[in-house]
Amino acid sequence: MNLFVFGLGFSASAAVAALREQHGADLAVSGTTRDEQRRSALRDQGIAAHLFEGRHVGEELAADLAAATHVIVSVPPGTEGDPVLALGQKGLDTATNLEWICYYSTVGVYGDCGGAWVDETAPCKPVHPRSQVRVKAEQAWRAYARRRQVPLAVLRLAGIYGPGRSTFDKLRAGKARRIIKPGQVFNRIHVADIGRVTALAAESRIDGTFNLADDEPAPPQDLVTFAAGLLGMAPPPKVPFEQADLSEMGRSFYSSNERISNAAIKKALGIELLFPSYREGLGAIFYGERE
């Protein structure tokens, strides 16, 4: 396996780690980042990292991409479309040994479902521009995969959390709030589950669109209360949604309410999640910090 990753961030790095556990030194990894310090850190980890701002393709990047058998795309589309597909003949078309593509999308493509359960057969009715461009990007990747006759896994991710990016960090920084909107629930997904699922999907080269979310959609205030209890802190006061001082983006998250089914990905890979709910996920983070 020769892996190329567009966007070596939080989620994709977990996938790299999971694949390295399986393949060890036999796995060649290259990819992109937008940050020079991040590139240096990745290279120290044995990853051939390249700077990529979405337009220019350097010779070293082009050479590594041309050698790829598996590609993970973890960069968001812009108003002008997907930056990876925009590379055209200078990009992925040169990977003549390409065997599999993975595209990280979002459950935000479903829009507001009034708290109902949603699976992959549900229509996409995105409300927000960032989700609308995701739908178009998904469609573009499916068209590309058909043209190349390569399997494509579109993984629609729920809210991502993990060590260093969790409710604990917000509580310690004094930024956590218990905003109460009756009936509102969210799904989440632990970054370790993203990494494991991506690695298993890469091994089997699964094809199709799959939700990647935990088993238990829950009100956001429940996470804050649970995490505060583990820290031995009093949870912040409850704030009615109507009175919450939220940014436009923060308020937009509360405008979509759905329960995401993950049955399809679990069946396709024959697995259960490592962290089926926020309780297992946050508990692992909490006790992991104390090891």
Side-chain angles (χ1 to χ4, degrees):
M1 182 182 296
N2 196 323
L3 177 67
F4 193 97
V5 181
F6 281 97
L8 282 159
F10 193 52
S11 298
S13 293
V16 170
L19 281 164
R20 278 181 154 179
E21 285 186 11
Q22 295 178 4
H23 291 269
D26 292 334
L27 178 69
V29 184
S30 53
T32 71
T33 178
R34 293 179 296 179
D35 183 78
E36 177 61 49
Q37 289 186 331
R38 175 71 174 157
R39 179 175 73 161
S40 297
L42 289 166
R43 289 191 169 185
D44 289 342
Q45 299 170 27
I47 297 173
H50 308 279
L51 292 179
F52 177 61
E53 79 293 345
R55 294 180 299 275
H56 178 68
V57 180
E59 291 185 6
E60 291 184 356
L61 188 161
D64 283 339
L65 183 56
T69 61
H70 292 63
V71 169
I72 298 172
V73 182
S74 183
V75 293
T79 55
E80 298 179 356
D82 188 280
V84 178
L85 289 176
L87 296 177
Q89 295 295 324
K90 296 180 180 179
L92 208 51
D93 282 354
T94 64
T96 56
N97 295 319
L98 187 63
E99 299 176 10
W100 182 75
I101 304 170
C102 177
Y103 179 70
Y104 287 158
S105 186
T106 170
V107 297
V109 297
Y110 294 113
D112 183 27
C113 300
W117 280 98
V118 174
D119 66 15
E120 294 83 354
T121 65
C124 292
K125 299 181 293 184
V127 176
H128 308 292
R130 64 179 181 277
S131 297
Q132 292 168 359
V133 295
R134 282 288 187 182
V135 173
K136 293 180 180 179
E138 284 188 10
Q139 294 169 344
W141 275 107
R142 292 188 190 100
Y144 181 81
R146 285 193 299 270
R147 178 170 70 80
R148 290 291 307 272
Q149 297 183 324
V150 172
L152 165 72
V154 175
L155 299 182
R156 291 174 173 167
L157 307 181
I160 303 165
Y161 73 104
R165 295 192 187 187
S166 74
T167 308
F168 296 121
D169 303 282
K170 293 181 180 179
L171 281 164
R172 292 177 179 129
K175 295 180 179 179
R177 291 184 288 176
R178 285 195 297 167
I179 298 172
I180 310 300
K181 185 179 181 183
Q184 180 75 52
V185 294
F186 292 113
N187 283 86
R188 297 137 191 102
I189 189 68
H190 193 289
V191 70
D193 274 312
I194 298 175
R196 175 179 177 238
V197 166
T198 306
L200 292 172
E203 290 290 346
S204 58
R205 297 194 291 276
I206 64 170
D207 182 78
T209 300
F210 302 93
N211 295 330
L212 188 45
D214 59 5
D215 294 351
E216 186 180 330
Q221 65 270 20
D222 288 6
L223 277 75
V224 180
T225 302
F226 181 80
L230 287 177
L231 291 175
M233 298 172 57
K238 296 180 179 180
V239 179
F241 175 74
E242 294 76 16
Q243 299 176 19
D245 182 18
L246 291 168
S247 65
E248 183 178 348
M249 177 170 288
R251 190 165 292 274
S252 73
F253 284 117
Y254 282 83
S255 65
S256 294
N257 187 18
E258 63 278 319
R259 289 171 165 83
I260 303 296
S261 170
N262 60 18
I265 191 65
K266 292 195 296 185
K267 181 179 180 181
L269 297 176
I271 61 168
E272 295 294 331
L273 295 180
L274 298 172
F275 304 106
S277 81
Y278 69 86
R279 287 181 293 273
E280 293 87 358
L282 289 176
I285 295 169
F286 177 77
Y287 292 109
E289 291 176 343
R290 280 148 182 78
E291 292 181 352

